[in-house]
Amino acid sequence: MTSTPPTPSSPAPATSPVIAGLLLAAGGGRRLGGHPKALLEHRGRLLADHAVATLREGGCGPVHVVLGAAADEVRARAALSGCTVSVNPEWTDGMGSSLRAGLTALAGTDADAVVVLLVDQPGIGAEAVARVRAAYRSRTSLAAASYGGERGHPVLFGAALWTDIAAGAVGDQGARSYLRAHRDAITLVECSDVAQAYDIDTAEDLAHLE
């Protein structure tokens, strides 16, 4: 009786990395008369809605959102279905506390990296997010959009870096001190041809909103 040789097993298909999106949307708009930035409107929708859609259309998922000022109102009005929402009780301490809250929420997930976007930069769209997301190589990846060679948002942090980034995220600095200390490790992704990196910080900046 002739035995049939075993069929070689096929290699397991490579799994795509999980690149989460993190939206920092806790700001109270102090220089805008105390109007929370997430509730500002741009092109007929809230900035929070615009930013969540930008992360999703740029290929990020799951999407985590950190709220702070007027969190209950933002939850009620914004289209956050499918997002993981965290409320940062220390949002008045600055963006650093919101970044820490977001990275803490992500720490228990299977995400390999996260793309961080700020709610008050509606000039940054899905194409810029997709470009930065594509810079992922490993869980130690560090990448950022650049505009004319100047580092900006969005930024990508590999999961292996989150603990150190969170430890240095204080005040309004966010990850700035970490990025300065590791600038030689950052992959800069030019995005000036597809995005504008202005912030909505003052009453004059409202002219950017339509």
Side-chain angles (χ1 to χ4, degrees):
M1 181 175 179
T2 304
S3 61
T4 303
T7 302
S9 58
S10 300
T15 56
S16 298
V18 177
I19 312 295
L22 174 59
L23 174 62
L24 303 185
R30 177 176 51 83
R31 288 184 285 172
L32 293 168
H35 193 82
K37 294 181 178 183
L39 295 173
L40 293 173
E41 292 193 11
H42 178 56
R43 298 181 180 175
R45 59 180 175 175
L46 301 180
L47 286 190
D49 296 347
H50 176 84
V52 166
T54 292
L55 286 168
R56 285 178 171 154
E57 290 165 12
C60 296
V63 174
H64 287 241
V65 180
V66 179
L67 302 179
D72 289 342
E73 185 178 358
V74 178
R75 279 182 185 270
R77 293 180 55 192
L80 302 180
S81 176
C83 297
T84 297
V85 179
S86 303
V87 178
N88 173 21
E90 301 175 346
W91 65 268
T92 56
D93 291 345
M95 184 172 60
S97 64
S98 292
L99 179 58
R100 289 198 309 273
L103 293 178
T104 297
L106 281 159
T109 72
D110 61 353
D112 296 296
V114 63
V115 174
V116 181
L117 186 65
L118 308 182
V119 77
D120 66 347
Q121 293 191 316
I124 297 174
E127 189 163 356
V129 169
R131 285 187 185 183
V132 173
R133 184 191 182 283
Y136 175 84
R137 296 294 180 271
S138 74
R139 291 170 67 91
T140 60
S141 288
L142 185 61
S146 66
Y147 300 88
E150 294 294 321
R151 190 186 73 240
H153 284 86
V155 294
L156 179 143
F157 301 134
L161 310 177
W162 294 350
T163 298
D164 288 344
I165 291 169
V170 295
D172 280 323
Q173 293 293 303
R176 204 172 303 162
S177 61
Y178 182 92
L179 291 170
R180 276 198 302 263
H182 298 84
R183 58 182 174 270
D184 292 341
I186 301 172
T187 298
L188 291 178
V189 182
E190 187 59 42
C191 291
S192 58
D193 59 321
V194 295
Q196 294 177 295
Y198 57 80
D199 301 289
I200 307 299
D201 281 334
T202 67
E204 290 74 21
D205 297 330
L206 294 174
H208 289 293
L209 303 181
E210 302 171 14

